[in-house]
Amino acid sequence: MARADDMRRELMSIFQTELDEHLSLLNQGLLALEQGADPAHRADQINTLFRAAHSLKGAARAVNLKDIAHLAHRLEDALDALRQQDITLLPRDFDWMLAGVDTLRVAMDGHLRGAPLSDEQLETRFPPAPLDSPVTVSSGVSVQLPPAASLPKELENSGDALLLKTASSKEEAKVTATHFSDHVAAPSTTTATTLPSPAMEEVTAVPPLTVAEDTVRVATAKLDGLMDALGELLVARMRADQVFEQSRTLEQRMQDWQKKWRRTRPHHQRWQKRGGPPREGEWRMVTEFLARHETDLNALSVDLSALRVQLTHDRNHLQRVTDELQEGIRKTRMLPIHSLFALFPRMVRDLAHERGKDILLQLEGGDIEVDRQVLELSKDPLTHLLRNAVDHGIETPDQRRASGKSPRGIIRLRAAQRGNHLVIEVADDGRGIDPNAVRQAALKHGLISAHEAAALDEEATLNLIFRAGLSTARQVSAISGRGVGLDVVRTNLEQMRGLARIANQPGQGVVFSLLLPLTLATSQVLLVETGSQIVALPATHVERILRVPANRIGQVDGQPVIHVEGRPLPLLSLARLLRLSAVEPPMAGEVRLPVAVLNVLDKRLVLQVDDFLSTQEVIIKPLGRQLRRVRNVAGVTVLGDGRLVPVLNVADLVKTIQREPTAAAPLRVVAIEPQRIVVVDDSITTRTLEKNILESAGYEVRVFADGQEAWDWLRRDDSRLPDAIVSDVNMPRMDGFALASAVKGDSRLARLPIVLVTSLDSPEDRLQGMEAGADAYIVKSLFDQRELLAVIKRFIE
């Protein structure tokens, strides 16, 4: 019996999915038919609707939901009449058929709750087509849609049912098909699964049905891609096992080396304590160890190099596989946005009829795929925006005629992809928003003071409609009020790290633009340092990064600005926006400030930071219930070294800038001489590269082609010594070792830090560099500009 109940629940879950598809098709098809189908395609549309009702009837019979089968049959008969005759339907006919679609949904919800609706309730919601409600045939003949037809008795328990009654004394039935169709194959005697006979049990006797687990349909091609990536991941795991064994071998060899040294060390220690020449046995033990030591070190070096190469290869391979797997998993969460848009035509149609308005809803961009969570969080904001557009945006036909507009209003719901973001526009050609009315309503409800109202520009005024409790409607409407419920838009957008923008033309209409991420699973971020803290900026908002000389920062109305593509843009301190620094320190005119240019709904922000670190793909984690809402912070991410880094909320930053203009206080640029670095290298390419790196960091750079040229300049230049020297080793006339020795041997220059940057990476070369007096040794094969800057900063600051 338990197995029978489980199978019934599985079948009902499958039927529920099929029901949703058929009801969606019926809703969309009836709305398209009502708006006026192309005569060339009208017959195809009606046939499609008829097949949907017919298939739904058969599927309902298959799971013994007689009430749903009965309702679908009634709708099927009406659509069949439309197929047979060229009937012009009236609005009330569409109302009746759409009511049938709604009743099918309500009936299914009743079964899911374990409380099916009674026959009287269903008849009230979807009565038979009234005999006194004729529809006009194009030829002038009057007919009516057919009344409800009762389910034929001979079909109720016939072969059209999936659950077949048998003569078994245990009142069980054999399942002979596992798919929904109008005809079922003859009962099989070889393989059968038993279920309680529907003829012997009422539907209500079955335990209440539960809603199926939250699921997403995934295309087989996406699953195939995941399986391929999984296969590659298994290969990577096997390679990791191999590397693990190699590391164990190296560890064992190191332990063997340590054992040899432990045996040799007592002889060496006795020799050191006694002083004088070693005895024959002591000398033999030490020399044998040293000979084996060189051999062991060489072998270890070769093995470690091979292991490093293999680890590098494996790391790159694993990174590629995990990227593919991550992208594949992300795609399984993606759904076309038309699955969300399909919910709204019926809603707009019903609301328009209720308000006596003629409105056409246009949908665009439905094939764009969006993260399922984004779709769910977008539903309520779009619902509120569309309800407001119907109730208070679009005028009545008479009002539109008086304004010189077409009687039919247009609402456009449009989706477009912009990089890794989704832009959804809700636009109408109605009356628009009256900024003065919004301002007065905000004053009336105590949301702003009179002083604040006087200082608001139009954009800030329009943004007031997202405040909870604000309404400009003169009468309370059951549907909406311009601004009523729009705080839901703001709340949901904040959860998605999205933004809203309003383009308003009073008397002509309004456009709400919502900027949303395509996915909430992962995000590309730019890691920056500001106010001695590391924070992450969503990379999708970062248009470019610059290093701007401080003396090129201008001012407009007392505010600092920089010019980007010929346009002056306000320069803002991110540290001050985040309250990480109260004032900016004075800076030299030649210092190049790290600046990030952000683009937010076609508006640019320029943020000054201390330094750029890197870009990374990260998983953003919520702050938790204790810190559910922290201004300017969308969440946190964990870096590879375990550090927690806050991910900034760009929408909040925009609000903070609007509320706190002091964050853009002028920067203090003073005449401080930049620190001077000497670069010595015989390669013009290397000299130029290092010069550009250092100058971008704000240093003054003097370059020389070899050590002798640099040494001659250092000896004769008495005006001002450099703050550090960066030198190559292999150079003509005087190499880097000789230059370092000469500098450290001169009392006037001895305190100058010297950084050797060379391709020589042997331990002997490093030792020689240290003996010559170099303060740091950087190998070119491992050269990283951040390391160079960090080394110089450590020595001269």
Side-chain angles (χ1 to χ4, degrees), residues 343-472:
L343 302 175
F344 301 124
R346 174 69 187 282
M347 181 193 79
V348 170
R349 181 257 184 202
D350 291 346
L351 293 178
H353 282 207
E354 181 181 334
R355 302 297 288 173
K357 298 180 179 181
D358 184 7
I359 299 177
L360 174 64
L361 176 64
Q362 297 177 341
L363 304 177
E364 300 177 22
D367 57 341
I368 295 175
E369 289 196 338
V370 187
D371 189 287
R372 183 173 172 277
Q373 188 178 359
V374 174
L375 286 185
E376 292 174 351
L377 291 173
S378 301
K379 179 181 176 182
D380 285 346
L382 294 179
T383 298
H384 284 286
L385 291 174
L386 290 169
R387 289 170 71 91
N388 276 279
V390 172
D391 195 29
H392 294 290
I394 301 294
E395 312 92 333
T396 64
D398 290 341
Q399 291 171 334
R400 292 180 65 84
R401 289 191 189 95
S403 302
K405 299 180 179 179
S406 167
R408 168 173 285 189
I410 304 294
I411 299 177
R412 187 180 74 252
L413 180 58
R414 177 178 176 269
Q417 184 173 346
R418 186 182 299 172
N420 290 327
H421 275 78
L422 170 71
V423 179
I424 301 180
E425 290 183 355
V426 180
D428 67 66
D429 63 349
R431 58 173 57 93
I433 304 174
D434 183 354
N436 291 327
V438 173
R439 195 178 292 110
Q440 293 304 316
L443 284 170
K444 178 181 176 182
H445 292 86
L447 300 178
I448 58 174
S449 65
H451 176 72
E452 290 173 327
L456 291 176
D457 58 18
E458 182 174 346
E459 181 179 1
T461 300
L462 293 177
N463 284 327
L464 289 173
I465 68 173
F466 295 113
R467 299 277 191 94
L470 180 69
S471 174
T472 60

Side-chain angles (χ1 to χ4, degrees), residues 541-590:
H541 290 295
V542 179
E543 182 179 289
R544 64 181 66 185
I545 58 175
L546 305 169
R547 292 189 181 270
V548 180
N551 56 12
R552 294 186 185 178
I553 298 174
Q555 289 194 10
V556 175
D557 296 331
Q559 301 297 320
V561 297
I562 66 170
H563 285 78
V564 179
E565 296 178 350
R567 294 178 53 192
L569 299 175
L571 177 61
L572 311 171
S573 166
L574 182 57
R576 296 183 66 179
L577 283 174
L578 301 178
R579 300 185 182 277
L580 298 176
S581 174
V583 295
E584 296 294 334
M587 60 196 69
E590 296 298 326

Side-chain angles (χ1 to χ4, degrees), residues 248-316:
R248 290 183 59 181
T249 302
L250 289 174
E251 182 183 23
Q252 184 62 48
R253 293 175 63 176
M254 287 297 300
Q255 291 174 352
D256 293 341
W257 180 89
Q258 289 173 341
K259 289 179 182 178
K260 295 175 184 176
W261 170 242
R262 283 195 295 268
R263 289 195 299 267
T264 307
R265 184 169 53 190
H267 300 279
H268 182 259
Q269 290 174 338
R270 285 195 298 268
W271 171 19
Q272 286 186 318
K273 288 180 180 180
R274 187 178 62 251
R279 295 173 181 174
E280 182 178 351
E282 294 171 344
W283 177 251
R284 180 175 53 81
M285 291 291 294
V286 172
T287 54
E288 286 179 358
F289 173 78
L290 290 175
R292 289 194 302 268
H293 173 70
E294 182 179 5
T295 302
D296 291 343
L297 281 183
N298 288 335
L300 281 173
S301 178
V302 171
D303 290 345
L304 283 173
S305 296
L307 187 61
R308 182 183 63 82
V309 171
Q310 184 172 345
L311 283 173
T312 301
H313 176 75
D314 290 350
R315 182 196 62 182
N316 295 338

